[in-house]
């Protein structure tokens, strides 16, 4: 027998959760090097990596065979797909395995056997199937796995044999990683890991020659692998699967879509002019050709469930979407490139992302599942692996290290470090300077690297919903999420590559902020603002706020980097009159991506009027509106079309490949195409290289213009509310817990806006923060540890029976846990009723109330209670300590007030005065607000940190040398003394830090040692 007549039919990859080891590329490359022509992927209880496998196998010249090893309650079988029926049945069976409470593998196989080839050495599985039919049923023989018993079973059931190697490993070194994954899965240590819970050391991807050596006595077992491979002809021939809107035919759906679109166009424009009509006809014709009408109608129906949405992504370039109310930015007025969303050559499905207020999203999903049913709809998965911190934590647990020791290391590790980068990062990071590691820790760091790319479990994607016209379990296995929603086994890229059309239903806290602020405005002033027709940029006060960069709390433009950019764009800009505000907000939200940092200064210079020319005249249309610099994703496509003769389809494919992780070969092909096309048009190689550098800056994180425009509109609405209704707006920002900053930072911002900060009050506070006129009332939600039951009880009592008269009235009316009442006292909730000086007395009254209640229950003739003590009031330090403890922050004063005598000794420069000190070395005071660690061009860590003093927020830069020296000191819990040089760009100052120390280490001013400082609290 030819030893190459063998196909591996039982192979596990890293997509076998905490069982398989190797990545698909490793497996396919090894198989091809061994002379194999086909390969089955049979990951455990799922098809988690099948779309990736199909692509990978074909790239390596292998015939891919789709399969899975189903393992459940002691029964197991390898299930291989022969045809489309078999694929659908495998998806159904695996779905039942994960979702059905009464699942039995042998019974389910009898139901879903059609189109599947079954391999097993489990008599409980084989015998009932044998009674049905012997066809496509095999006994699995594997080295090291009871081959003698399997041969006997084959004879007794008269079933043919098939040889497998149950490949989990490629080489011996993989076994250590496999054991590590099994120990993590079983939450045990290496020393206690049972051998029966792991694969055998010989379960490897073996060469045909090696396999032939194992089966000299039954060569037919090897020959049968080839026959099975030949019968497995289904290789994932997926096509687009659109949702069906009601029971409409394609023709009916298109007619309905056109009618609704034209009605919407009249609503948006009043009169449909020639430009609108031409664009409508173009889009509708393409939608009809592509068969996308059902999809638009389904999305429109979902959007109508909420009056406040933000349709974003490339779909915002669609006039049809705008007319249907799916998006809210006029694609004609803002010159949005429709081909980024849909073009003649596009093969993959359209993608419409819709933001809803975060607390309405679940209701939208409930509507979708109620309308289409769980049988037709499911959520897209996130396939969760091991990041750097979780990888180290899990490996350390396997080594048996205590949690406290593990935490001392992991708390210094960024969530953004990947597992394979962590060991090197720890070894060279300044946070670990001078630290020596034990041999165990060195081994832990080494093994943690190996967890990169391993599938751990599924979670819900932040918004992806898939709806199909018939049965979702025909297309992909489904599991139940922790929330009880059905979730497919694929992440978004695999779902799209397999033709499943998803709708992203996303939760956006800023939409809830706008909703709640508008409701408060209406309640306080009687004014109603229509969200859909609102034009915030018609208001000059809003425009001034946006140009100032004082946008803390405003959606998407509140991060330190974006606020700094806005200030640099508009401060002292002599060219301001020629710069449309909205257009430049759109540019700002896209160019802020990290990879574009090298272009930002040139962008700012050109915006401020510096002379410039296009790298080539052919780029004038593509890059004219963005100062000759590629800012938006679709400009990749437009540049490729204009300069190198790409079609819209090829240009869009280039744009997609730029953002992919595994892109080197395809990108090299497009690089050559781009260069040759440009040179054919007489473009120099120097210009080609400069443009290619701009194109590469779009790798990973970047936006298209329609997306940026949609976000910019929400930003403008946020800014309008901050400008005109600051109290209502800031209350909504903090209450929705969704901004970039902590509640303490927003409280400081409110104080800088001259709002009065009011403490929580038992009669005036609601659960959420409440703003009116120039005051902001802290909500009861801010009290740490206050139970939801207590909160609901007191609010209900107050609503039904009116305000509380005094503390005794409260005790008599509200039956809640005394621990909750103590928290209310410490938070100052009774200060308005009883006075701050009575806090100690209230605690005695609470104790007496409890004692009286207990005594009354025990006896009808209770003795009178003794008189209560009259404790003195708390001093100022104790009151502030209680405020910090109960609320997690100080709201009555800025925390730097506690250090007033130390501040007097230092005489620091206020942040509001920084510009006056440009180019000079200064001393400043700062409370840490937020920070971002990045790497310089040489890969060295550095950090941008925002600090605040009592006059404002300022940005400080710790370049690598300063970061290495001071990074261990940086914490958000203490105030700092900072020394450094004030730098200025485009009229905006920042501090380059050269030294940092703790403010409490500064001696108090000698003449003021009276104890007025309270920083020792």
């Amino acid at each position: 027998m030819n030893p190459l007549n063998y196909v591996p039919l039982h192979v596990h990859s890293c997509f076998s959760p905490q069982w398989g080891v190797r990545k698909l590329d490793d497996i396919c490359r090894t198989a091809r090097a061994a002379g194999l022509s086909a390969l089955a992927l049979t990951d455990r209880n799922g098809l988690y990596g099948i779309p990736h496998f199909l692509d990978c196998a074909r790239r390596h010249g292998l015939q891919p065979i789709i399969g899975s090893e189903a393992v459940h309650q002691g029964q197991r079988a390898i299930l291989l797909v022969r045809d489309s029926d078999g694929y659908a049945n495998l998806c159904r069976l695996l779905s039942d395995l994960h979702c059905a409470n009464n699942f039995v593998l042998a019974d389910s196989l009898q139901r879903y056997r059609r189109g599947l080839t079954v391999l097993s050495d489990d008599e409980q599985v084989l015998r009932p199937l044998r009674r049905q039919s012997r066809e496509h049923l095999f006994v699995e023989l594997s080295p090291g796995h009871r081959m003698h018993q399997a041969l006997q079973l084959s004879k007794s059931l008269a079933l043919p044999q098939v040889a497998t190697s149950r490949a989990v490993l490629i080489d011996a070194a993989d076994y250590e990683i496999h054991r590590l994954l099994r120990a993590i899965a079983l939450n045990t240590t290496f020393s206690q890991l049972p051998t029966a819970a792991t694969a055998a050391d010989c379960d490897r991807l073996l060469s045909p020659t090696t396999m032939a050596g194992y089966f000299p006595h039954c060569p037919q077992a090897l020959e049968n692998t080839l026959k099975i491979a030949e019968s497995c002809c289904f290789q994932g021939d997926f096509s687009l699967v659109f949702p069906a809107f009601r029971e409409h035919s394609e023709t009916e759906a298109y007619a309905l879509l056109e009618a609704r679109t034209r009605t919407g166009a009249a609503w948006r424009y009043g009169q449909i002019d020639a430009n609108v009509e031409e664009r409508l006809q173009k889009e509708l014709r393409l939608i009809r050709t592509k068969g996308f009408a059902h999809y638009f109608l389904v999305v429109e129906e979902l959007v109508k469930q909420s009056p406040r949405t933000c349709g974003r992504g490339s779909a915002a370039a669609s006039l049809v979407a705008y007319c249907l109310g799916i998006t809210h930015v006029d694609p004609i007025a803002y010159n949005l490139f429709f081909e980024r969303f849909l073009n003649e050559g596009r093969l993959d499905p359209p993608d419409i992302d819709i933001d809803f207020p975060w607390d309405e999203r679940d209701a939208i999903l409930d509507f979708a599942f109620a309308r289409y049913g769980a049988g037709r709809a499911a959520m897209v998965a996130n396939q969760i692996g091991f990041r750097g911190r979780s990888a180290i934590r899990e490996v350390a647990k396997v080594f048996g290290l205590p949690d406290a020791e593990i935490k001392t290391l992991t708390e210094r590790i960024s969530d953004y470090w990947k597992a394979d980068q962590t060991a090197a990062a720890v070894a060279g990071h300044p946070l670990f300077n001078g630290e020596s590691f034990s041999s165990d820790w060195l081994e832990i760091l080494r093994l943690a690297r190996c967890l990169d790319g391993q599938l751990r479990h599924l979670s819900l994607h932040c918004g992806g919903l898939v709806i199909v016209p018939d049965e979702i379990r025909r297309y992909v296995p489904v599991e139940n999420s922790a929330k009880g929603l059905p979730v497919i086994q694929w992440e978004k890229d695999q779902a799209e590559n397999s033709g499943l059309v998803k709708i992203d239903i996303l939760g956006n806290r800023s939409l809830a902020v706008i909703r709640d602020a508008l409701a408060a405005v209406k309640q306080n002033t009687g004014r109603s603002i229509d969200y859909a027709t609102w034009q915030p940029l018609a208001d000059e006060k809003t425009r001034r706020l946006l140009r100032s960069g004082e946008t803390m709390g405003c959606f998407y433009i509140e991060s330190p980097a974006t606020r700094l950019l806005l200030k640099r764009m508009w401060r002292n800009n002599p060219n301001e009159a020629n710069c449309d505000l909205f257009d430049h907000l759109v540019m700002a939200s896209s160019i802020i991506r990290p990879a574009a940092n090298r272009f930002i200064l040139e962008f700012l210079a050109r915006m401020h009027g510096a002379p410039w020319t296009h790298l080539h005249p052919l780029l004038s249309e593509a890059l004219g509106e963005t100062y000759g610099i590629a800012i938006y994703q679709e400009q990749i496509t437009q540049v490729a079309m204009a300069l190198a003769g790409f079609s819209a389809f090829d240009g869009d494919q280039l744009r997609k490949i730029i953002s992919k992780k595994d892109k080197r070969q395809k990108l090299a092909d497009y690089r050559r195409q781009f260069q040759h096309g440009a040179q054919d048009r007489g473009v120099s190689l120097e210009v080609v290289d400069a443009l290619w550098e701009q194109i590469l800056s779009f790798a990973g994180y970047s936006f298209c213009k329609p997306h940026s425009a949609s976000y910019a509109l929400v930003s403008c609405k946020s800014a309008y509310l901050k400008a005109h209704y600051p109290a209502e707006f800031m209350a909504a920002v903090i209450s929705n817990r969704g901004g970039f900053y902590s509640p303490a930072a927003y409280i400081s911002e409110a104080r800088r806006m001259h709002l009065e900060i009011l403490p929580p009050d038992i009669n005036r506070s609601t659960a959420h923060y409440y703003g009116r006129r120039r005051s902001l009332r802290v909500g009861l939600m801010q009290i740490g540890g206050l139970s939801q039951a207590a909160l609901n009880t007191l609010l209900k009592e107050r609503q039904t029976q009116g305000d509380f008269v005094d503390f005794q009235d409260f005790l008599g009316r509200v039956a809640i846990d005394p621990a909750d009442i103590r928290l209310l006292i410490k938070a100052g909730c009774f200060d308005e009723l009883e006075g701050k000086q009575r806090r100690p007395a209230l605690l005695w009254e609470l104790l007496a109330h409890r004692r009286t209640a207990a005594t009354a229950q025990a006896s009808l003739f209770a003795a009178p209670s003794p008189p209560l003590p009259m404790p003195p009031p708390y001093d100022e330090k104790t009151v502030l300590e209680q405020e910090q403890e109960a609320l997690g922050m100080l709201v009555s004063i800025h925390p730097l007030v506690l250090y007033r005598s130390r501040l007097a000794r230092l005489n620091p420069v206020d942040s509001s005065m920084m510009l006056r000190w440009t180019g000079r070395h200064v001393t400043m005071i700062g409370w840490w607000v937020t920070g971002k660690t990045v790497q310089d061009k040489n890969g060295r860590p550095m950090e941008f940190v925002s600090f605040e003093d009592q006059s404002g927020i300022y940005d400080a830069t710790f370049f690598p040398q300063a970061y290495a020296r001071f990074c261990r000191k940086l914490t958000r819990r203490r105030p700092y003394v900072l020394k450094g040089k004030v730098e200025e760009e485009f009229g905006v100052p920042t501090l380059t830090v050269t030294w940092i120390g703790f403010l409490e280490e500064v001696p108090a001013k000698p003449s003021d040692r009276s104890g007025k400082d309270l920083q020792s609290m």
Side-chain angles (χ1 to χ4, degrees), residues 208 326 421 556 854 888:
I326 294 171
Q421 300 170 335
Y556 204 73

Side-chain angles (χ1 to χ4, degrees), residues 124-196:
Q124 294 181 68
V125 171
L126 292 172
R127 190 169 292 279
L129 294 178
R130 169 69 177 78
R131 286 195 291 268
Q132 273 189 332
S133 169
R134 293 175 53 190
E135 200 172 8
H136 304 295
L137 190 61
F138 295 83
V139 175
E140 183 181 19
L141 306 183
S142 307
H145 291 274
R146 303 180 306 166
M147 282 181 59
H148 178 72
Q149 291 93 323
L151 282 167
Q152 292 299 318
L153 183 62
S154 170
K155 292 177 182 177
S156 67
L157 295 178
L159 290 175
Q161 305 132 14
V162 63
T164 76
S165 66
R166 305 195 183 192
V168 175
L169 322 170
I170 288 180
D171 53 43
D174 293 340
Y175 192 60
E176 179 183 42
I177 308 305
H178 171 71
R179 292 189 71 246
L180 173 63
L181 291 168
R182 298 305 300 139
I184 293 172
L186 298 172
N187 195 24
T188 189
T189 62
F190 273 139
S191 60
Q192 295 179 322
L193 178 64
T195 303

Side-chain angles (χ1 to χ4, degrees), residues 113 126 196 215 296 325 341 646 666 711 718 775 790 793 804 903:
R113 184 176 174 182
L126 292 172
F215 294 93
F296 276 87
F341 174 61
F646 277 48
K666 289 183 179 178
Y711 269 9
S718 300
S775 66
T793 298
F804 302 106
L903 294 177

Side-chain angles (χ1 to χ4, degrees), residues 513-523 527 529 531 534 721:
V513 168
I514 292 171
R515 176 200 64 201
D516 294 347
L518 289 177
V521 168
K522 184 174 182 180
Q523 179 181 345
R527 183 188 177 195
I529 300 174
Y531 180 85
W534 184 10
L721 290 168

Side-chain angles (χ1 to χ4, degrees), residues 799-837:
Q799 181 181 14
T800 57
Q801 302 300 323
D803 286 356
F804 302 106
V805 177
D806 54 27
F807 186 63
Q808 287 299 321
D809 181 45
F810 176 84
L811 292 177
R813 289 167 54 185
V814 178
I816 61 176
D817 192 294
D820 288 316
I821 300 176
R822 283 193 291 271
L823 286 171
L824 293 170
I825 294 171
K826 288 183 176 182
C829 292
F830 296 100
D831 289 355
E832 186 72 23
L833 283 180
E834 299 282 356
K836 189 181 298 184
Q837 73 280 359

Side-chain angles (χ1 to χ4, degrees), residues 830-874:
F830 296 100
D831 289 355
E832 186 72 23
L833 283 180
E834 299 282 356
K836 189 181 298 184
Q837 73 280 359
R838 291 237 319 129
R839 286 192 192 183
L842 297 186
L843 293 173
W844 278 104
E845 290 180 26
L846 172 61
L847 180 62
H849 177 78
R850 290 181 62 199
R851 185 177 298 158
T852 301
T855 304
Q857 283 185 343
S859 172
L860 295 176
F861 306 100
S865 300
L868 294 175
M870 298 290 290
Y874 294 132

